[in-house]
Amino acid sequence: MKYFIQCFCCLLVAMYSAVPLLKAQAKAEPNILIIYVDDLGYGDLSCYGGDIPTPQIDRIAEQGIRFTEFYVSAPACTPSRFSVLTGAYPQRSRHGLTNALMPVDTNYLDDAEMTLAKYAKAYNYRTGIFGKWHLGFKNKSDSPEQHGFDKFSGLKGGCIDFFTHVYGQMGHDWFVNSVQTRERGYSTELITNHTLSFIDDCRKVNQPFFTFLSYNAPHYGKTDPDSVVAHTVSLSEGEYHGYGIINSLQAPPKYIEKFAEIEDPYRQAYAAMVSCLDDNIGRLLDHLEQSGMMEHTIIWFISDNGGYSIRYFGHADNGGLRGEKGTIYEGGIKVPSLLQWKGYLDAGQVREGPVCNIDVLPTLLNLTGMRLNRNNTPKIDGVDLTNFLLENEQISRPLFWYYNQQMAIRDGKWKLVNGEELFNMDQDPFESKNLASDHPKVKQRLSIKYEQMAEELDIMLR
């Protein structure tokens, strides 16, 4: 008995000392790089079985962890970004960041809402966001700097023409160091350029960085019908508040040529965009390796939501999952995600089990030694995944979704959708067989849990 107690105590010590030991091995505060891509489908990376070669992004999987059941809190850009930066469900946002913001919307991230950038800044990190903001502004003078970021270059809205950087006929949306600027180039490449410059600046002054690399690719662009550049594929054309807009897929010519064998023009253009994105992430990884920064940098790659595998000519691939962007079926909320900390997390791992982008903030705070303040606004819904990453210790808690009158909850292997469809996700990841009539008690239990969470978040259920 004494021997058993001693062994048990040793096991506890080993588990709870894993993070301090991991942190102590690092020579300095680790850099944090979140690569947040836009509308990439679950089946669009080659490391997830996709047919678009993505050797550069696959390097992150090879050197770290690939998640098989990584979820986002909502199947759309704005609420997903709110959650990854705050660790909270979007329903907790003070100003209704629960849907993708449109240009005339007045919702915004409140100054009082604590972001990962604010945490990092308090711990002497230099912070930068490069690419897409899409979290609104209180007024014209508001900027990402008010939310913890030292530097911002990119677009304030949700999407732009990749070459001209306009939102259709509504005007120009491109900023360099927070100043509206006319900068020539393809946005994916420009975003990477600004990120590399920021990382170099941090290295020169020997200061750790937190970079939110928020690519707008491979989300479709917003092209001015009167100024269409070559290699633009139109998904749809119409007007928004009287302004002409083309929803477009665009890539540099060499990438279009690379996929000349794809007959479907929409899939061809999309594959070209993904390939360009992959090459640019490769530029970043190469730079971190060559500058000796790779082993001091935590890299987390995530898609903000699923892709368009049905609408807009089904140009994305969600790996056969049901639904797409905008739905709370798996195709809308289950996304590719990869995590690397070279030398500290073992290479070539796969983690199965439901986790979510609300978990990113508490996990990164713990891995880097930053202290989480549970009294901050908004209340943090995410959990620390450290033991899941290091020991494959499964997370036991329900996950919750509410988007455009769609409702879902996942608890363990069970997922209840709209209070009527019950799926065993272990046996049926494609949500093809409704088991509600076979398991009424499970349905009732999940319904009660959902109602309790909805009441806490002050959601009026239909």
Side-chain angles (χ1 to χ4, degrees), residues 120-195:
K121 197 175 171 83
Y123 280 81
N124 197 39
Y125 278 74
R126 288 192 75 185
T127 58
I129 173 172
F130 303 98
K132 174 173 172 172
W133 172 245
H134 209 194
L135 287 168
F137 293 102
K138 183 177 181 179
N139 49 50
K140 289 185 178 180
S141 64
D142 195 7
S143 72
E145 283 94 332
Q146 272 70 59
H147 305 284
F149 290 101
D150 295 314
K151 282 219 170 184
F152 162 63
S153 293
L155 58 149
K156 289 187 174 182
C159 41
I160 53 173
D161 184 290
F162 280 77
F163 292 100
T164 64
H165 313 147
V166 298
Y167 190 99
Q169 293 179 338
M170 293 193 75
H172 187 255
D173 182 9
W174 190 258
F175 295 78
V176 176
N177 296 330
S178 296
V179 177
Q180 193 164 20
T181 304
R182 299 281 177 175
E183 187 177 29
R184 297 183 64 182
Y186 186 72
S187 62
T188 300
E189 295 170 345
L190 295 177
I191 289 166
T192 307
N193 293 346
H194 290 298
T195 303

Side-chain angles (χ1 to χ4, degrees), residues 28-49:
E29 301 296 333
N31 304 309
I32 303 169
L33 172 61
I34 296 178
I35 304 174
Y36 219 61
V37 301
D38 206 352
D39 286 11
L40 183 75
Y42 187 81
D44 277 323
L45 298 180
S46 45
C47 63
Y48 279 84

Side-chain angles (χ1 to χ4, degrees), residues 251-316:
K254 69 176 183 179
Y255 289 98
I256 297 292
E257 294 165 5
K258 181 178 178 180
F259 293 94
E261 78 284 356
I262 299 179
E263 295 181 0
D264 180 346
Y266 309 104
R267 183 63 178 174
Q268 181 193 65
Y270 179 80
M273 295 171 74
V274 172
S275 183
C276 180
L277 174 69
D278 184 66
D279 280 353
N280 275 273
I281 291 174
R283 288 174 59 203
L284 185 64
L285 298 178
D286 287 345
H287 188 76
L288 291 172
E289 288 279 12
Q290 293 162 8
S291 62
M293 302 177 74
M294 184 64 86
E295 291 189 358
H296 309 300
T297 304
I298 300 170
I299 303 171
W300 208 327
F301 175 97
I302 308 168
S303 179
D304 66 344
N305 46 251
Y308 284 112
S309 58
I310 303 170
R311 290 173 292 164
Y312 296 113
F313 304 97
H315 57 268

Side-chain angles (χ1 to χ4, degrees), residues 187-213:
S187 62
T188 300
E189 295 170 345
L190 295 177
I191 289 166
T192 307
N193 293 346
H194 290 298
T195 303
L196 291 171
S197 177
F198 175 76
I199 288 173
D200 272 345
D201 289 343
C202 295
R203 180 175 58 86
K204 289 173 184 176
V205 297
N206 196 30
Q207 189 173 4
F209 65 78
F210 163 51
T211 299
F212 187 46
L213 177 49

Side-chain angles (χ1 to χ4, degrees), residues 23 26 58 103 119 170 208 412 450:
K23 179 71 172 59
D58 293 352
Y119 273 108
M170 293 193 75
Y450 189 93

Side-chain angles (χ1 to χ4, degrees), residues 326-391:
T327 76
I328 44 76
Y329 292 107
E330 299 290 277
I333 56 176
K334 188 158 79 170
V335 299
S337 179
L338 313 167
L339 176 63
Q340 170 187 331
W341 189 6
K342 193 173 181 180
Y344 300 96
L345 295 176
D346 291 339
Q349 298 186 79
V350 175
R351 285 288 179 270
E352 299 177 351
V355 294
C356 189
N357 66 341
I358 57 175
D359 303 327
V360 170
L361 182 145
T363 302
L364 288 175
L365 293 188
N366 194 38
L367 288 177
T368 56
M370 290 186 259
R371 186 175 180 181
L372 176 63
N373 187 347
R374 288 281 179 183
N375 295 321
N376 280 331
T377 299
K379 176 183 175 182
I380 292 175
D381 295 297
V383 300
D384 174 20
L385 300 179
T386 299
N387 287 338
F388 178 65
L389 303 177
L390 298 179
E391 307 291 339

